[in-house]
Amino acid sequence: MNGNRRTKKMLWRWRNNPLRRHGDIVEAWVVLAIWVVVAVGGSVVGLLTAHSASEVFTRQRLERRPVHAVLLTDVPRKPTGSWTTIDKISTRVRWTAPEGSVHTDKALVNTGLKAGSRVPVWTDERGQVVTEPPSPSEAAVEAGLLATGAVLAFAGLALGVGGLARWKIERQRIEQWDREWELVGPQWGHKTG
């Protein structure tokens, strides 16, 4: 019984009621449309974003290759007693590509290594230093986070547009109320004297 009363209360704008205004019906449809757009559109945006991110990460794993490089300079240790969490520093490295050409560039390497140490460096198909591609589990987490962010952004946009539409409807109601009050208000006034 309580659920039925609650449903009637939620759907009051669609019920036949002499106090129901045209703006109430329009607002009810706007609210319904907003929720449908958020639910359906958000799902589509989230799935597309997750799928696209997953494809990018898979392509990165296929295109990037690790090579063994040699440090050209010493890499200082992490400063003791500092509050920093830096465990990698950019420094110059040299490596030989599979076709035999020698490359020198900067790459992120662990701290505390000496010149001449061998370190892994990731390169793309052009031989440029790139970051290590995410593992499949890291890629899944990152794709999920990107999808969540896209869904939240889409929902925020939809709710913002819906809120703007509801604000416009409310302004029209207030203007209509003002016009009606100008007609009826003087009839209610008494002048004593």
Side-chain angles (χ1 to χ4, degrees):
M1 186 74 153
N2 192 16
N4 190 21
R5 188 176 301 153
R6 191 175 317 161
T7 303
K8 282 184 180 180
K9 187 176 181 182
M10 286 175 44
L11 300 175
W12 74 270
R13 287 184 172 102
W14 280 291
R15 290 194 342 239
N16 194 10
N17 183 335
L19 298 177
R20 181 185 66 187
R21 300 164 291 196
H22 176 71
D24 295 331
I25 297 169
V26 172
E27 183 180 19
W29 283 108
V30 166
V31 169
L32 180 64
I34 291 167
W35 285 111
V36 168
V37 166
V38 167
V40 175
S43 298
V44 170
V45 165
L47 289 172
L48 289 176
T49 302
H51 181 69
S52 296
S54 181
E55 283 182 351
V56 167
F57 296 139
T58 300
R59 189 170 53 249
Q60 285 178 354
R61 282 193 299 278
L62 292 174
E63 292 174 351
R64 296 179 180 184
R65 298 281 176 243
V67 293
H68 292 289
V70 177
L71 283 176
L72 298 179
T73 58
D74 290 344
V75 180
R77 290 205 177 279
K78 205 182 327 184
T80 58
S82 90
W83 294 95
T84 183
T85 58
I86 296 173
D87 59 347
K88 292 192 181 251
I89 293 179
S90 179
T91 190
R92 308 238 354 124
V93 294
R94 181 180 20 228
W95 71 94
T96 304
E99 76 275 353
S101 61
V102 176
H103 298 273
T104 303
D105 203 349
K106 283 191 166 194
L108 286 175
V109 297
N110 291 331
T111 59
L113 298 174
K114 299 285 183 202
S117 299
R118 293 178 59 86
V119 294
V121 174
W122 287 84
T123 60
D124 61 11
E125 66 268 359
R126 296 173 303 193
Q128 306 239 339
V129 174
V130 292
T131 59
E132 181 180 355
S135 68
S137 60
E138 291 170 339
V141 169
E142 196 166 339
L145 290 173
L146 289 170
T148 301
V151 168
L152 291 174
F154 181 80
L157 179 65
L159 291 173
V161 168
L164 186 63
R166 290 183 70 197
W167 175 79
K168 181 101 171 127
I169 292 168
E170 188 63 27
R171 295 286 303 159
Q172 289 174 348
R173 276 192 204 132
I174 291 171
E175 289 170 5
Q176 181 183 3
W177 191 11
D178 286 343
R179 286 190 303 270
E180 290 172 358
W181 187 254
E182 286 177 5
L183 294 173
V184 176
Q187 296 173 7
W188 288 9
H190 292 307
K191 294 193 179 177
T192 58

